[in-house]
Amino acid sequence: MYRVASASQYLVITGSGIDDIKIAKKAWVFPGQSCSVFDISPVNYTFEVMAMSAEKLPFILPAVFTIGPRSNDQESLHKYAKLISSHDKESNHMNELVKGVIEGETRVLAASMTMEEIFKGTKEFKKEVFGKVQLELNQFGLWIYNANVKQLVDVPGHEYFSYLGQKTQMEAANQAKIDVSEAKMKGEIGAKLREGQTLQNAAKIDAETRIISTQRQGQGQKEEIKVKTEVKVFENEREAEVAEANAELAMKKAKWAKDSQVAEVEARKAVALREAELQKEVEIMNAMTQKEKLKAEFLSKASVEYETKVQEANWELYRKQKAAEAILYEKEKEAEAQKATAEAALYARKQVADGELYAKQKEAEGLVALAQAQGTYIRTLLGALGNNYGALRDYLMINGGMYQEIAKINGEAVKGMQPKISIWTGAGGVGDGDGGDGQGGAMKEVAGVYKMLPPLFNTVHEQTGMLPPTWMGKITES
């Protein structure tokens, strides 16, 4: 049977001879095949999404989405035909599917933004929502043909947007009141200014003819004062540059110390400088007012005196400013030097402590190694002597020169004395063992040495309490 779909429809054919599905506008449907029709016209879905911002402030996002299958993409049509086409586009299933995707992406995005960011960047927020929703709908072969997000709405009990509107209205009303007050103030000031200018101009015209005649006399004095002032200013600038050069050298040596105290000092000095500037402005304004008045009353003399006072005041203010700046700079350098000195002392102490610690560690390691070596040496000797502690002690005393040291100490003790010396001989006397041959004479010497050992051992035992090794003999009690 030959089937033809309408303009907004497609045929879906499955069955014999078709591996998966076949989508076409018109086709032959053979026995063993099944054919169904699905509509691709988009459908409007209206929602009111409940979301919550990063500050946990809830709001409602009304939205209308026009969604349908993507007709110009074959892969999307296959996905839609396999997953969605069996359901009615206006059914509860489709409505819940689309609503779930939109609500999920909107809530996730809103939870990462503050309410202020959502409200000010509404356009970007909507664009981001559409993009994330489209990514999720792609897996179903659906396309957002149109989307309209309406104005954000407050949740009952959380009137954030209404309060925000009231805030904007109040700010506009307050600004309007401020503008009216400023306009009124400008009008009153302008009127007073015009009156003052009228009086000043009248007084100026009356006094100018008399001022010119005496102004020449004061001009020379003014120029002299001006030159002296400029010379003094130049000298102070040179002195400041020299001080700055000297301070720069100190600054390079103590560079890292200024952060600890400079902020507080700068704040105090900035306040002082600002007060001086404001005082200067006040004095200038007062002087200008006084000048006009004095011009009318005292003519050129008052003018000359006023100019002189202004120059003196300016010079005094300039001197105070430079002095304050020099004090501030000096305090900064002192703070930097103190910090650098403290850091250098700390580093030196740390290096000394590290050196002492390293020396102690190496000394301890040497003692441990020496003790281990001595332990190994003693264990080896003890094993070679058959675990005989007495033999080990005697060997260590002989090897360490203990007997020689004892003899030396005894010799020092009897030095200068006249001891009684005993000579031990054999039982046969001097001629004992004389056989007249060389062999007998050699054995005689050996026998004589051996006979000397018992009295020596007795003497050592009596003085030190130590016994000779068992392999050399035993001392018999007399």
Side-chain angles (χ1 to χ4, degrees):
M1 186 172 81
Y2 191 73
R3 297 287 300 272
V4 178
S6 63
S8 62
Q9 294 179 338
Y10 274 93
L11 301 176
V12 181
I13 305 173
T14 59
S16 177
I18 300 175
D19 293 335
D20 188 6
I21 63 173
K22 177 182 178 181
I23 298 177
K25 277 288 189 179
K26 53 187 177 180
W28 285 98
V29 181
F30 299 101
Q33 295 181 345
S34 174
C35 178
S36 62
V37 179
F38 69 87
D39 192 357
I40 64 170
S41 57
V43 177
N44 290 332
Y45 296 93
T46 303
F47 307 104
E48 287 189 353
V49 181
M50 295 283 295
M52 186 174 291
S53 67
E55 306 101 324
K56 296 181 176 55
L57 294 175
F59 64 92
I60 298 175
L61 180 69
V64 178
F65 286 79
T66 303
I67 301 175
R70 182 181 291 185
S71 60
N72 58 354
D73 184 71
Q74 196 68 20
E75 183 180 357
S76 297
L77 288 175
H78 273 75
K79 291 180 181 179
Y80 180 80
K82 293 171 67 175
L83 301 175
I84 306 296
S85 64
S86 60
H87 300 281
D88 185 4
K89 291 186 294 183
E90 299 182 0
S91 65
N92 187 56
H93 174 78
M94 281 293 296
N95 192 57
E96 291 295 328
L97 174 64
V98 175
K99 182 178 180 181
V101 171
I102 295 173
E103 287 185 346
E105 296 300 328
T106 303
R107 287 170 179 169
V108 170
L109 181 60
S112 64
M113 301 174 65
T114 64
M115 186 65 79
E116 189 71 17
E117 292 173 347
I118 296 173
F119 187 75
K120 289 185 176 180
T122 305
K123 185 176 181 180
E124 290 75 12
F125 176 72
K126 294 176 183 178
K127 185 178 179 181
E128 191 73 18
V129 171
F130 299 158
K132 292 185 178 296
V133 171
Q134 183 60 63
L135 288 176
E136 294 296 325
L137 293 179
N138 285 338
Q139 59 186 331
F140 300 106
L142 295 173
W143 178 256
I144 300 176
Y145 286 92
N146 183 36
N148 182 24
V149 175
K150 301 178 182 179
Q151 185 63 39
L152 302 177
V153 180
D154 286 320
V155 175
H158 299 275
E159 291 77 11
Y160 175 80
F161 295 113
S162 62
Y163 290 150
L164 193 62
Q166 293 177 12
K167 175 186 174 184
T168 303
Q169 292 177 1
M170 293 300 296
E171 288 178 351
N174 292 334
Q175 186 61 41
K177 292 179 181 179
I178 292 171
D179 294 340
V180 170
S181 299
E182 288 183 352
K184 186 176 180 181
M185 178 188 68
K186 290 179 180 179
E188 293 177 354
I189 292 174
K192 295 294 182 181
L193 182 62
R194 294 298 180 271
E195 293 177 2
Q197 288 177 348
T198 301
L199 294 175
Q200 290 177 8
N201 290 333
K204 182 178 180 181
I205 293 171
D206 293 337
E208 276 181 354
T209 55
R210 289 174 291 179
I211 290 173
I212 294 174
S213 62
T214 56
Q215 196 171 20
R216 295 289 183 266
Q217 299 175 2
Q219 190 68 31
Q221 187 178 359
K222 288 173 59 178
E223 290 297 328
E224 182 181 358
I225 294 172
K226 182 177 180 181
V227 170
K228 289 182 180 180
T229 303
E230 291 177 354
V231 170
K232 192 63 177 178
V233 169
F234 180 79
E235 290 176 355
N236 291 334
E237 288 178 352
R238 297 287 77 81
E239 291 177 359
E241 289 176 358
V242 172
E244 183 178 1
N246 294 332
E248 185 177 358
L249 178 60
M251 178 179 63
K252 291 181 179 179
K253 295 180 180 178
K255 179 180 178 181
W256 301 276
K258 68 178 180 180
D259 295 336
S260 61
Q261 298 180 0
V262 68
E264 182 179 357
V265 175
E266 284 182 350
R268 293 199 302 266
K269 299 305 178 182
V271 171
L273 291 175
R274 183 56 182 165
E275 289 179 354
E277 291 175 358
L278 294 175
Q279 185 64 31
K280 174 185 174 181
E281 294 178 0
V282 171
E283 291 178 356
I284 290 174
M285 294 300 296
N286 292 335
M288 290 177 64
T289 303
Q290 189 68 18
K291 177 182 176 181
E292 294 299 328
K293 184 177 179 181
L294 291 174
K295 279 183 179 181
E297 293 179 357
F298 302 104
L299 302 178
S300 61
K301 180 179 178 181
S303 176
V304 171
E305 290 179 357
Y306 169 74
E307 293 294 339
T308 302
K309 294 296 183 180
V310 169
Q311 292 295 333
E312 291 177 354
N314 291 339
W315 159 242
E316 183 66 21
L317 176 60
Y318 180 81
R319 186 184 64 78
K320 289 181 179 179
Q321 290 177 344
K322 288 300 179 179
E325 292 175 358
I327 293 173
L328 171 61
Y329 194 78
E330 182 180 357
K331 293 296 183 181
E332 292 177 356
K333 299 306 120 185
E334 289 178 358
E336 292 174 359
Q338 290 175 0
K339 181 177 179 182
T341 302
E343 290 180 352
L346 176 61
Y347 180 77
R349 291 179 182 175
K350 183 178 179 182
Q351 292 299 106
V352 172
D354 292 343
E356 292 178 354
L357 175 61
Y358 183 77
K360 294 295 183 181
Q361 290 177 346
K362 291 302 177 182
E363 183 179 354
E365 291 175 0
L367 292 175
V368 171
L370 178 61
Q372 292 176 350
Q374 290 179 347
T376 303
Y377 174 65
I378 292 174
R379 284 196 299 272
T380 303
L381 289 177
L382 187 61
L385 296 175
N387 293 327
N388 188 334
Y389 290 96
L392 175 63
R393 179 197 63 194
D394 295 336
Y395 174 78
L396 293 175
M397 291 181 66
I398 294 172
N399 190 50
M402 178 64 74
Y403 291 114
Q404 292 88 334
E405 189 68 22
I406 291 173
K408 182 179 179 180
I409 293 172
N410 289 335
E412 293 292 335
V414 300
K415 186 176 181 180
M417 298 175 62
Q418 296 180 357
K420 182 180 180 180
I421 301 174
S422 300
I423 300 175
W424 300 286
T425 61
V430 176
D432 193 18
D434 287 344
D437 57 356
Q439 183 178 1
M443 293 301 296
K444 179 181 177 181
E445 295 296 332
V446 174
V449 172
Y450 188 76
K451 290 176 182 179
M452 291 171 60
L453 291 177
L456 176 62
F457 288 156
N458 284 331
T459 302
V460 172
H461 177 65
E462 290 174 359
Q463 294 182 359
T464 65
M466 298 177 63
L467 295 174
T470 56
W471 55 270
M472 295 185 68
K474 296 183 178 180
I475 299 176
T476 59
E477 297 183 5
S478 57

